Amino acid sequence: MKAIRISLNELMKIGKQQEIDGDSNGAIKSYRAIIGKDPLHVQAYNRLMIVYHRQKKYKMEIAIIKKALQAYEKDVRQDLLAWKSENSTSAALSHNLAKALGLFDDNGFPIFEEPQIMRWRKRLANLERKIKPENDPHKKKKVR
């Protein structure tokens, strides 16, 4: 049997319809398939985070957020290194200026982050704060 190729947009539509139909596992498979084909697909990451959040699978949601952040950080790093190698003279001047202005971290990577990345980092911090009390041995347990 011949495999059918489905576009990423079509897979997104399928995933959203699966969510509407209450087929969370199907939606998860669709969104994961999209991310497998395009590791920088923001909408698929966002929908997957929402599905896991609705299922109260916070650890899975955290894992997806970390995967998304890692994919974007890798992409930024690759773009920066490629630009530096193609424009070595300009890169040296730009780097020195940006470092003087505090726009680069100690490793030479930009401090500025896209708004989507900042939202994911905030979501990650909130989730980690939310699940931490469950595992905190110092927290007093409620007596009923």
Side-chain angles (χ1 to χ4, degrees), residues 13-79:
K13 289 178 187 175
I14 291 169
K16 287 180 183 178
Q17 188 58 50
Q18 288 168 320
E19 277 188 76
I20 292 168
D21 295 341
D23 182 10
S24 296
N25 292 332
I28 288 169
K29 286 179 185 176
S30 295
Y31 298 139
R32 284 191 173 274
I34 293 167
I35 292 167
K37 292 178 182 180
D38 179 5
L40 299 175
H41 201 285
V42 173
Q43 293 170 322
Y45 281 118
N46 284 334
R47 295 308 315 163
L48 194 51
M49 289 173 202
I50 290 168
V51 171
Y52 282 134
H53 195 82
R54 286 182 180 156
Q55 292 180 334
K56 297 184 181 186
K57 293 182 179 178
Y58 303 123
K59 290 182 182 178
M60 293 298 292
E61 185 180 0
I62 287 172
I64 290 300
I65 295 169
K66 287 181 178 180
K67 182 177 180 176
L69 289 170
Q70 184 180 18
Y72 272 87
E73 288 168 354
K74 180 181 175 185
D75 185 60
V76 166
R77 200 171 295 119
Q78 287 175 340
D79 286 349

Side-chain angles (χ1 to χ4, degrees), residues 46 49 53 57-70 73 113 115-133:
N46 284 334
M49 289 173 202
H53 195 82
K57 293 182 179 178
Y58 303 123
K59 290 182 182 178
M60 293 298 292
E61 185 180 0
I62 287 172
I64 290 300
I65 295 169
K66 287 181 178 180
K67 182 177 180 176
L69 289 170
Q70 184 180 18
E73 288 168 354
E113 290 184 325
Q116 180 62 59
I117 304 300
M118 291 189 301
R119 283 192 292 272
W120 285 343
R121 288 195 193 285
K122 184 175 180 180
R123 184 178 193 142
L124 177 62
N126 289 338
L127 279 168
E128 287 176 336
R129 213 173 311 121
K130 183 175 189 170
I131 67 168
K132 187 177 180 181

